[in-house]
Amino acid sequence: MLIRYKKSFDKIAMGLLSFMPDEKDLKKLQQTKQLYETEDNWQLFLWKEDDDIVGLIGVVLDGDKVEIQHISVNPSYRDQGIGKSMVKALKQMYEGKEVVPNKYIVDFFHKCVEKEDPS
């Protein structure tokens, strides 16, 4: 289930963001998190599985387009379809808008979309 990021999830969000290849540097990581906290069009969501937060998806809203900036799954939970579930939930949340990946997550995004059921 997708839930909105709250400050109380700060450490979890930082940990999940750090799995992104372009977020390895602590200073860059803090700047990215700051964007999600201060910019209205930057939205960060966490994926909750039972009582654990195991994934993260961050987007930038631009008119009728929703661009995914970050998508990350805890390594212990990978290969279980969580990325696909996050993309699907995001598309439902922003129904009527075009959901697209940025250049850093395009390959992962297409893997998620390929596996989607046609229904």
Side-chain angles (χ1 to χ4, degrees):
M1 160 177 71
L2 271 186
I3 58 173
R4 237 181 234 288
Y5 166 80
K6 291 186 271 191
K7 192 78 170 147
S8 60
F9 298 129
D10 189 54
K11 287 184 177 155
I12 295 168
M14 290 279 283
L16 288 166
L17 272 172
S18 73
F19 292 125
M20 295 293 300
D22 60 325
E23 299 293 338
K24 297 292 183 197
D25 177 63
L26 181 60
K27 192 172 217 165
K28 169 81 167 88
L29 185 61
Q30 290 170 330
Q31 290 171 343
T32 298
K33 191 178 64 67
Q34 185 72 20
L35 285 170
Y36 284 115
E37 291 175 349
T38 59
E39 299 295 323
D40 289 339
N41 63 326
W42 284 66
Q43 300 290 313
L44 189 62
F45 301 94
L46 303 170
W47 185 262
K48 193 171 186 180
E49 194 86 6
D50 297 319
D51 289 332
D52 297 324
I53 294 173
V54 299
L56 166 146
I57 192 165
V59 301
V60 173
L61 308 175
D62 184 17
D64 286 340
K65 188 167 69 172
V66 177
E67 184 176 52
I68 301 174
Q69 299 297 306
H70 299 94
I71 187 166
S72 178
V73 176
N74 178 319
S76 301
Y77 290 84
R78 290 186 181 162
D79 298 320
Q80 297 179 24
I82 291 171
K84 172 188 158 190
S85 296
M86 287 193 295
V87 170
K88 186 175 182 181
L90 190 75
K91 285 181 171 189
Q92 290 172 343
M93 181 182 290
Y94 292 106
E95 193 174 352
K97 294 186 183 263
E98 181 185 15
V99 176
V100 297
N102 71 3
K103 64 183 179 181
Y104 299 108
I105 61 116
V106 70
D107 291 338
F108 182 75
F109 177 82
H110 288 301
K111 285 181 192 173
C112 291
V113 174
E114 283 172 13
K115 296 177 184 175
E116 280 184 7
D117 296 333
S119 57

